[in-house]
Amino acid sequence: MPPFIESWLVRWSRNYALLRRAVDAVGRELARKPYESLLQPDELSFTQFVEGEAVDFEVEVYRIEPDGTIWARVETRSRLPTPFMLRPALVFTKHRDGMAYVQF
C-alpha cells in the first residue's frame, strides 16, 4: 500500500491505527526470533488481545531465497471496522546470521 494511503488510514481511523500498532509490535517480535524457529511451521495463526480487542494474526513464510533469506508476512484480522475493510500487514526478511529487516 502506498505510504500516503497508510498514513491517511492511521490518522483518520482509530481502528486501523490500533491494528497497525498491533501488527508492528507482533511482527517485530517475530523478526527477533531465531532463524530456525521461522522455518517450522510455514504458516502460523494466533489471537492476541491488543488494547482490549481480540486481534487474529496470520504469519506466513512465503519465500525462501537460495541464500537462505526468509521472507515472512504478518497480517491482521479483526472484527473492527476500517475504511474499505483494509487491514495492515508487515513484511520482514530474516537472514541466516540472525539479522532481520522490516520492509516498508
Side-chain angles (χ1 to χ4, degrees):
M1 176 176 326
F4 70 92
I5 293 175
E6 178 81 18
S7 64
W8 180 85
L9 287 167
V10 168
R11 184 174 182 182
W12 294 106
S13 172
R14 267 189 298 188
N15 292 339
Y16 190 90
L18 179 139
L19 294 175
R20 168 51 56 203
R21 288 190 303 275
V23 77
D24 285 348
V26 167
R28 290 177 191 279
E29 183 179 317
L30 289 168
R32 284 191 285 271
K33 288 187 175 243
Y35 177 87
E36 293 79 21
S37 69
L38 294 174
L39 294 174
Q40 298 173 4
D42 288 343
E43 193 169 334
L44 172 69
S45 299
F46 58 94
T47 302
Q48 235 177 318
F49 281 90
V50 179
E51 299 177 23
E53 295 290 334
V55 179
D56 297 325
F57 295 94
E58 291 181 20
V59 182
E60 175 188 15
V61 172
Y62 65 93
R63 182 169 59 189
I64 299 177
E65 301 270 337
D67 67 355
T69 301
I70 296 172
W71 288 76
R73 177 179 24 253
V74 183
E75 296 181 341
T76 59
R77 300 278 186 260
S78 175
R79 291 185 183 168
L80 295 172
T82 60
F84 306 108
M85 296 305 292
L86 294 172
R87 303 284 186 237
L90 182 125
V91 173
F92 67 90
T93 59
K94 184 75 172 187
H95 301 266
R96 287 182 194 259
D97 64 2
M99 295 297 294
Y101 300 95
V102 174
Q103 308 296 315
F104 290 101

